[in-house]
Amino acid sequence: MFLHLGENVVVPIKDIIAILDMESTMYSSDTIQFLRMAEEDGFVERITKDKPKSFVIAEVDKKSKIYLSPISSSTLCKRTDIVYCEY
C-alpha cells in the first residue's frame, strides 16, 4: 500500500519511519536542528509551497527522506490503517 502525502507524492507505507506533527514537534530545539541539518544536506522535500502541517520520515531507495506535507499527521496516520498512532 501507498500513502498519499499531498500533490503528486506517494510513498510506500512500508518505507515510512515516522509521521510527525509539525506544530507540536517544533517546541523541541532538537527537532528544529534536525530539520535544518536535513534540509542543508538535501534530505528534505517540500511537497507544496503551503505551510506544512506534518513531516514524514521515510527510507526511499536506501536513503533517508523527509517530506513536508500540507496534510495533518492525524489524517496521514488514519490513512495508513496502523493500529497505534500518537498525535
Side-chain angles (χ1 to χ4, degrees):
M1 281 188 66
F2 291 88
L3 178 62
H4 177 251
L5 303 179
E7 294 294 314
N8 298 335
V9 180
V10 293
V11 176
I13 290 176
K14 67 177 182 57
D15 293 346
I16 294 174
I17 298 167
I19 300 171
L20 302 156
D21 179 69
M22 186 65 81
E23 188 176 318
S24 65
T25 58
M26 295 313 273
Y27 290 112
S28 168
S29 61
D30 292 335
T31 303
I32 295 167
Q33 184 178 359
F34 168 74
L35 287 174
R36 186 174 51 241
M37 290 174 54
E39 191 159 27
E40 289 172 1
D41 292 341
F43 294 114
V44 176
E45 181 178 326
R46 286 188 171 271
I47 294 174
T48 68
K49 294 182 189 242
D50 296 335
K51 182 180 176 185
K53 294 180 182 176
S54 63
F55 62 100
V56 176
I57 303 172
E59 185 176 327
V60 179
D61 298 325
K62 298 188 180 185
K63 294 181 183 177
S64 295
K65 189 82 170 175
I66 300 170
Y67 297 94
L68 302 180
S69 176
I71 302 171
S72 73
S73 59
S74 60
T75 299
L76 291 174
C77 196
K78 288 175 189 173
R79 290 180 181 180
T80 65
D81 290 330
I82 294 174
V83 175
Y84 176 77
C85 287
E86 186 173 320
Y87 38 86

